Amino acid sequence: MSRRSRWTSSVGLAAALAIVALVPVFGQQRPQAPAGPWMDKSLPPDQRADMVIAQMTIDEKIQLLHGAGGFDQAPRSNGGASVIEGIPRLGLPDLQLADSAVGVRAAGGRGRYATLLPSSEAEAATWDPTLAWAQGDVIGRELRDQMYTVSLGGGVDLVREPRNGRTFEYLGEDPVLAGTMLAEFVKGLQSNHVIGDVKHYAFNDQETGRNIGNVKHGTREARETDLLALEIAVTDGGPGAVMCSYNKYNGDWACENSYLLTDVLKHAWGFKGFVMSDWGGTHSTAKAALAGLDNEEPGNADPSRARFGDALKQAVESGEVPMARLDDMVHRIVRTEFALGVVDDPPKGRVVDPFRGADTAQQIAENGIVLLKNANAQLPLNAATVKSIALIGSHADTGLLSGGGSAQVDPPGSGESRFGGPPVWFPTSPMNAIRAKAPRANVTFNDGSDPAAAAAFAKGAEIAIVFVNQPESEGRDLPTLTLPDDQDALVSAVAAANPHTIVVLETGGPAAMPWIDHVSAAIEAWYPGIRGDVALANILFGDVNPSGKLPVTFAKSDADLPHPQIFGLRPPPAPGTATAGRGGRGGGRGFFQPFDIDYTEGLKVGYKWFDAEGKTPLFPFGYGLSYTTYAYSGLHASGIDSVTFTIRNTGKRAGAEIAEVYAGLPAAAQEPPKRLVGWDKIALAPGESKTVTVKIEPKLLSIFNEQTNDWELLPGEYTFFVGGSSRSTPLTATVKH
Ligand code: BGC
């Protein structure tokens, strides 16, 4: 990146830094001096937890099992989504919880700064676990800088419903990709001595009716889809916390579902941390505690108003909830504090370094932006020769879109963005970054509000770049894959006027593109974060060769999805009518009666649906172009535990190819045609070849056997498919096992 473009992009950040430097981090209770043998760091965390719990009164125990309220309601709040008040006399600090899906939330309103990273979907599109680690590391560091000790991020609800309003917070439709990326994210985050969280457990795969919907799904289907992503994240990532979701699963609320919380999470996966409820997602006291919920959020500072407050104390005193279970709940929280360094290395409070975060954000964006179409090598643009570029639509003169809801990060220099407020464009200006790249070109902007005027504006320019957007937010789904505000008409009009029309999509997930045959290039930029401007310009002008691949299938239209309409979607209620779905924000609007969300597609989530049903997607899972080309050859599989193949850069530019390995299981398994079992990202100079071995875990070739309640590797023929997307696998090999 040139010094100039970095400076251009960093002016806003520097201003923000100046502001935060003047504002101290909010005061809160500082950890007390060490107070007993449990402060001996050399002892195992479980032993330290037992020692300190032995000193606690029942009221102190109960205090750890519920938050003291959301945001600034609690006296000891740091301004985050909740605080679990600690026990100073025993040296246990307050746990300060903050939303932090793609950056620390609610910083702006408190005079602080937080980096907006690319959306989680963009992070997944890098397919690079080291970048997932880096994304988690930035968030962990900035949480700690701001005196938070628990992250509320780590979203991994599977994108089986691409119109889910939180798709941008999640990691795509494949459980192995999503779980692997999240495990690394958690490790990066927790390396900062902040407790990581994985959410929303489980099946909160749509926002519509999230507080009243009952998800129906068979055990095998559940374990092999959404729960597999969570299993990988929990067992490989080792998060300190798991947040149970709002919805019901097979008849029981997720936060009082003993199958999910105890049988699977704690027993089958060996989770040692604590389960906290989503905000207002605790529906009972004894039932929830006995099912495996450990902590109620956001709870209430007044224990008489919390389900896990006085009511829990009474349930223990009456014997309804055994003391041993109460101690287990407390143990899980306290051992996590010891295990992850929250007690031994508490945060000291620092001003966030915006440049460090922005550098990582840029690297992730450059690796996650996906080149979807590039007819006649329209891209990259030649900065030395391009004369005029007409930029159109989506505030491309000033900013790029970010995701809403509890994942919303406040833009630098602004106050707090309101939950449920209008979409927020971050001050990361594509126009400035493009002008910095091509200083001799005439780069102009039209807001795109009038398609005919935009077409006339584009006609005279050498290149037209149309920016389109699809705002997403927690609490409401997208009614359709069609872009809002008639942006399709805008693209079509511009494409008809200028044969060199490039479309840049700022979307949380898939969008329909009825105009795709009429534009010369298309780029999926996602919500690319604070340095999205520079990352995008680097890709447009070829300083970065795109390497991102789609972590989710792009359907041609809603009709091709397993459920053409979102479950429960109804017209909004008449003003003044009572609505159902209380106990959480949004997600209940317009719904009066609970309803079932019946995932009849079973195992066929995402590309597995398109493969099994013989449907052609607009862009398949795993797809993404480069400015160079790659050739695959020489697949060798002697057993089922690894495959070896050669990949060559057959073009003229250096690049990095994500090589994907899929497996077809023996017919007796009755599985969809193929599943992702491994991948590698290989950097290649022009003309260079590399021979690559991808290891395959037997579990990823297994099915979940409901009779034995365990994974099973069936005997028979396994076919490996290797290539650059789920629909381009030039190499196949079959082995018997
Ligand atoms: C969301 C969670 C979030 C929590 C706290 C809930 O509405 O579903 O993801 O962490 O609020 O803000």
Side-chain angles (χ1 to χ4, degrees), residues 71 81 99 105 152 166 169 199-200 204 210 243 246 278-279 406 419 474 585:
F71 297 98
D99 277 310
R105 181 170 177 236
L152 307 173
R166 300 186 85 169
E169 288 187 59
K199 71 186 186 185
H200 308 87
N204 187 175
R210 68 177 178 175
M243 184 192 293
Y246 283 131
D278 201 342
W279 268 229
S406 60
F419 188 95
E474 175 186 341
R585 306 186 196 101

mmCIF file of all heavy atoms in Angstrom, residues 71 81 99 105 152 166 169 199-200 204 210 243 246 278-279 406 419 474 585, ligand 1:
data_model
loop_
_atom_site.group_PDB
_atom_site.id
_atom_site.type_symbol
_atom_site.label_atom_id
_atom_site.label_comp_id
_atom_site.label_asym_id
_atom_site.label_seq_id
_atom_site.Cartn_x
_atom_site.Cartn_y
_atom_site.Cartn_z
ATOM 1 N N PHE A 71 -25.739 -3.100 29.475
ATOM 2 C CA PHE A 71 -25.186 -1.782 29.182
ATOM 3 C C PHE A 71 -24.979 -0.978 30.466
ATOM 4 O O PHE A 71 -24.400 -1.496 31.411
ATOM 5 C CB PHE A 71 -26.013 -1.096 28.097
ATOM 6 C CG PHE A 71 -25.904 -1.925 26.842
ATOM 7 C CD1 PHE A 71 -26.887 -2.845 26.491
ATOM 8 C CD2 PHE A 71 -24.759 -1.881 26.074
ATOM 9 C CE1 PHE A 71 -26.730 -3.652 25.381
ATOM 10 C CE2 PHE A 71 -24.589 -2.700 24.969
ATOM 11 C CZ PHE A 71 -25.581 -3.578 24.628
ATOM 12 N N ALA A 81 -22.544 -5.313 27.275
ATOM 13 C CA ALA A 81 -23.873 -5.911 27.278
ATOM 14 C C ALA A 81 -24.267 -6.469 28.641
ATOM 15 O O ALA A 81 -25.445 -6.719 28.886
ATOM 16 C CB ALA A 81 -23.946 -7.016 26.220
ATOM 17 N N ASP A 99 -20.382 -7.230 23.409
ATOM 18 C CA ASP A 99 -20.590 -7.737 22.059
ATOM 19 C C ASP A 99 -19.366 -7.402 21.228
ATOM 20 O O ASP A 99 -18.825 -6.285 21.304
ATOM 21 C CB ASP A 99 -21.845 -7.102 21.448
ATOM 22 C CG ASP A 99 -23.097 -7.834 21.883
ATOM 23 O OD1 ASP A 99 -23.121 -9.069 21.762
ATOM 24 O OD2 ASP A 99 -24.032 -7.177 22.376
ATOM 25 N N ARG A 105 -18.331 -3.601 20.333
ATOM 26 C CA ARG A 105 -19.515 -2.768 20.158
ATOM 27 C C ARG A 105 -19.564 -1.645 21.204
ATOM 28 O O ARG A 105 -18.962 -1.747 22.264
ATOM 29 C CB ARG A 105 -20.756 -3.640 20.306
ATOM 30 C CG ARG A 105 -22.031 -2.875 20.128
ATOM 31 C CD ARG A 105 -23.240 -3.766 20.042
ATOM 32 N NE ARG A 105 -24.420 -2.957 19.937
ATOM 33 C CZ ARG A 105 -25.450 -3.024 20.766
ATOM 34 N NH1 ARG A 105 -25.462 -3.894 21.736
ATOM 35 N NH2 ARG A 105 -26.482 -2.236 20.612
ATOM 36 N N LEU A 152 -18.555 -11.424 23.479
ATOM 37 C CA LEU A 152 -19.800 -12.016 22.975
ATOM 38 C C LEU A 152 -19.705 -11.948 21.458
ATOM 39 O O LEU A 152 -20.150 -11.002 20.829
ATOM 40 C CB LEU A 152 -21.012 -11.224 23.472
ATOM 41 C CG LEU A 152 -21.074 -11.008 24.983
ATOM 42 C CD1 LEU A 152 -22.220 -10.073 25.336
ATOM 43 C CD2 LEU A 152 -21.240 -12.338 25.695
ATOM 44 N N ARG A 166 -28.516 -12.173 10.075
ATOM 45 C CA ARG A 166 -27.205 -12.191 10.732
ATOM 46 C C ARG A 166 -26.182 -12.981 9.929
ATOM 47 O O ARG A 166 -25.126 -13.331 10.461
ATOM 48 C CB ARG A 166 -27.334 -12.774 12.146
ATOM 49 C CG ARG A 166 -28.275 -11.986 13.019
ATOM 50 C CD ARG A 166 -28.302 -12.466 14.467
ATOM 51 N NE ARG A 166 -27.234 -11.860 15.238
ATOM 52 C CZ ARG A 166 -27.148 -11.937 16.576
ATOM 53 N NH1 ARG A 166 -28.070 -12.586 17.264
ATOM 54 N NH2 ARG A 166 -26.158 -11.362 17.226
ATOM 55 N N GLU A 169 -22.638 -12.149 10.271
ATOM 56 C CA GLU A 169 -21.958 -12.475 11.528
ATOM 57 C C GLU A 169 -21.493 -13.927 11.564
ATOM 58 O O GLU A 169 -20.834 -14.325 12.518
ATOM 59 C CB GLU A 169 -22.922 -12.294 12.704
ATOM 60 C CG GLU A 169 -23.261 -10.888 13.068
ATOM 61 C CD GLU A 169 -24.071 -10.850 14.350
ATOM 62 O OE1 GLU A 169 -23.590 -11.336 15.385
ATOM 63 O OE2 GLU A 169 -25.203 -10.337 14.311
ATOM 64 N N LYS A 199 -21.502 -18.713 19.773
ATOM 65 C CA LYS A 199 -22.955 -18.517 19.835
ATOM 66 C C LYS A 199 -23.555 -18.727 18.459
ATOM 67 O O LYS A 199 -22.804 -18.710 17.474
ATOM 68 C CB LYS A 199 -23.273 -17.115 20.373
ATOM 69 C CG LYS A 199 -22.949 -15.940 19.408
ATOM 70 C CD LYS A 199 -23.166 -14.597 20.066
ATOM 71 C CE LYS A 199 -22.993 -13.459 19.072
ATOM 72 N NZ LYS A 199 -23.083 -12.135 19.681
ATOM 73 N N HIS A 200 -24.826 -18.894 18.276
ATOM 74 C CA HIS A 200 -25.872 -19.052 19.279
ATOM 75 C C HIS A 200 -26.257 -20.519 19.232
ATOM 76 O O HIS A 200 -26.663 -21.005 18.168
ATOM 77 C CB HIS A 200 -27.084 -18.176 18.954
ATOM 78 C CG HIS A 200 -26.680 -16.735 18.712
ATOM 79 N ND1 HIS A 200 -26.285 -16.251 17.503
ATOM 80 C CD2 HIS A 200 -26.616 -15.684 19.578
ATOM 81 C CE1 HIS A 200 -25.999 -14.947 17.606
ATOM 82 N NE2 HIS A 200 -26.186 -14.583 18.845
ATOM 83 N N ASN A 204 -30.235 -21.106 15.663
ATOM 84 C CA ASN A 204 -30.858 -19.782 15.497
ATOM 85 C C ASN A 204 -30.497 -19.311 14.080
ATOM 86 O O ASN A 204 -29.811 -18.327 13.893
ATOM 87 C CB ASN A 204 -30.313 -18.829 16.568
ATOM 88 C CG ASN A 204 -31.007 -17.479 16.602
ATOM 89 O OD1 ASN A 204 -30.720 -16.669 17.468
ATOM 90 N ND2 ASN A 204 -31.922 -17.211 15.669
ATOM 91 N N ARG A 210 -37.419 -15.470 16.138
ATOM 92 C CA ARG A 210 -36.353 -16.192 16.851
ATOM 93 C C ARG A 210 -36.707 -16.484 18.295
ATOM 94 O O ARG A 210 -36.147 -17.381 18.907
ATOM 95 C CB ARG A 210 -35.042 -15.425 16.789
ATOM 96 C CG ARG A 210 -35.025 -14.116 17.571
ATOM 97 C CD ARG A 210 -33.650 -13.464 17.518
ATOM 98 N NE ARG A 210 -33.641 -12.197 18.226
ATOM 99 C CZ ARG A 210 -32.568 -11.458 18.419
ATOM 100 N NH1 ARG A 210 -31.409 -11.849 17.943
ATOM 101 N NH2 ARG A 210 -32.636 -10.322 19.068
ATOM 102 N N MET A 243 -22.928 -19.448 24.269
ATOM 103 C CA MET A 243 -24.213 -18.769 24.489
ATOM 104 C C MET A 243 -25.327 -19.587 23.847
ATOM 105 O O MET A 243 -25.294 -19.851 22.642
ATOM 106 C CB MET A 243 -24.183 -17.372 23.857
ATOM 107 C CG MET A 243 -25.444 -16.545 24.122
ATOM 108 S SD MET A 243 -25.520 -15.054 23.088
ATOM 109 C CE MET A 243 -24.162 -14.106 23.727
ATOM 110 N N TYR A 246 -32.050 -18.197 21.412
ATOM 111 C CA TYR A 246 -33.417 -17.826 21.794
ATOM 112 C C TYR A 246 -34.457 -18.904 21.486
ATOM 113 O O TYR A 246 -35.438 -19.069 22.185
ATOM 114 C CB TYR A 246 -33.832 -16.564 21.032
ATOM 115 C CG TYR A 246 -33.238 -15.272 21.559
ATOM 116 C CD1 TYR A 246 -32.626 -14.373 20.697
ATOM 117 C CD2 TYR A 246 -33.329 -14.944 22.906
ATOM 118 C CE1 TYR A 246 -32.108 -13.167 21.169
ATOM 119 C CE2 TYR A 246 -32.807 -13.748 23.385
ATOM 120 C CZ TYR A 246 -32.206 -12.863 22.514
ATOM 121 O OH TYR A 246 -31.700 -11.685 22.987
ATOM 122 N N ASP A 278 -28.670 -16.390 25.899
ATOM 123 C CA ASP A 278 -28.789 -15.171 25.114
ATOM 124 C C ASP A 278 -29.642 -14.195 25.923
ATOM 125 O O ASP A 278 -30.339 -14.574 26.871
ATOM 126 C CB ASP A 278 -29.388 -15.434 23.728
ATOM 127 C CG ASP A 278 -29.030 -14.302 22.750
ATOM 128 O OD1 ASP A 278 -28.642 -13.208 23.201
ATOM 129 O OD2 ASP A 278 -29.161 -14.508 21.523
ATOM 130 N N TRP A 279 -29.592 -12.950 25.548
ATOM 131 C CA TRP A 279 -30.145 -11.862 26.376
ATOM 132 C C TRP A 279 -31.671 -11.982 26.530
ATOM 133 O O TRP A 279 -32.425 -11.677 25.616
ATOM 134 C CB TRP A 279 -29.730 -10.525 25.776
ATOM 135 C CG TRP A 279 -28.440 -10.017 26.380
ATOM 136 C CD1 TRP A 279 -28.233 -8.765 26.862
ATOM 137 C CD2 TRP A 279 -27.224 -10.730 26.626
ATOM 138 N NE1 TRP A 279 -26.962 -8.672 27.403
ATOM 139 C CE2 TRP A 279 -26.328 -9.858 27.273
ATOM 140 C CE3 TRP A 279 -26.811 -12.051 26.408
ATOM 141 C CZ2 TRP A 279 -25.045 -10.243 27.672
ATOM 142 C CZ3 TRP A 279 -25.529 -12.436 26.797
ATOM 143 C CH2 TRP A 279 -24.679 -11.527 27.420
ATOM 144 N N SER A 406 -26.410 -6.226 17.352
ATOM 145 C CA SER A 406 -25.393 -6.258 18.411
ATOM 146 C C SER A 406 -23.991 -6.410 17.846
ATOM 147 O O SER A 406 -23.015 -6.304 18.586
ATOM 148 C CB SER A 406 -25.706 -7.359 19.422
ATOM 149 O OG SER A 406 -25.718 -8.601 18.791
ATOM 150 N N PHE A 419 -29.244 0.534 18.310
ATOM 151 C CA PHE A 419 -29.668 -0.810 17.920
ATOM 152 C C PHE A 419 -30.958 -0.690 17.112
ATOM 153 O O PHE A 419 -31.899 -0.021 17.535
ATOM 154 C CB PHE A 419 -29.915 -1.671 19.169
ATOM 155 C CG PHE A 419 -30.167 -3.111 18.861
ATOM 156 C CD1 PHE A 419 -29.141 -4.041 18.899
ATOM 157 C CD2 PHE A 419 -31.440 -3.552 18.497
ATOM 158 C CE1 PHE A 419 -29.368 -5.370 18.594
ATOM 159 C CE2 PHE A 419 -31.676 -4.873 18.185
ATOM 160 C CZ PHE A 419 -30.636 -5.786 18.243
ATOM 161 N N GLU A 474 -29.199 -7.926 12.915
ATOM 162 C CA GLU A 474 -29.870 -8.792 13.884
ATOM 163 C C GLU A 474 -31.318 -8.345 14.049
ATOM 164 O O GLU A 474 -31.616 -7.153 13.981
ATOM 165 C CB GLU A 474 -29.136 -8.650 15.217
ATOM 166 C CG GLU A 474 -29.794 -9.405 16.336
ATOM 167 C CD GLU A 474 -29.136 -9.119 17.673
ATOM 168 O OE1 GLU A 474 -27.993 -8.640 17.701
ATOM 169 O OE2 GLU A 474 -29.787 -9.389 18.698
ATOM 170 N N ARG A 585 -34.457 -8.954 21.793
ATOM 171 C CA ARG A 585 -34.728 -7.858 20.889
ATOM 172 C C ARG A 585 -35.177 -8.368 19.535
ATOM 173 O O ARG A 585 -34.609 -9.291 19.010
ATOM 174 C CB ARG A 585 -33.463 -7.062 20.654
ATOM 175 C CG ARG A 585 -32.799 -6.598 21.881
ATOM 176 C CD ARG A 585 -31.679 -5.718 21.417
ATOM 177 N NE ARG A 585 -30.747 -5.521 22.491
ATOM 178 C CZ ARG A 585 -29.604 -6.190 22.568
ATOM 179 N NH1 ARG A 585 -29.279 -7.074 21.657
ATOM 180 N NH2 ARG A 585 -28.800 -5.961 23.558
HETATM 181 C C1 BGC B 1 -28.008 -11.263 20.624
HETATM 182 C C2 BGC B 1 -26.652 -11.749 21.080
HETATM 183 C C3 BGC B 1 -25.941 -10.650 21.805
HETATM 184 C C4 BGC B 1 -26.796 -10.193 22.959
HETATM 185 C C5 BGC B 1 -26.175 -9.088 23.795
HETATM 186 C C6 BGC B 1 -28.802 -10.652 21.761
HETATM 187 O O1 BGC B 1 -29.927 -9.998 21.274
HETATM 188 O O2 BGC B 1 -28.734 -12.331 20.039
HETATM 189 O O3 BGC B 1 -25.905 -12.180 19.963
HETATM 190 O O4 BGC B 1 -24.679 -11.078 22.231
HETATM 191 O O5 BGC B 1 -28.027 -9.719 22.473
HETATM 192 O O6 BGC B 1 -26.223 -7.876 23.145
#
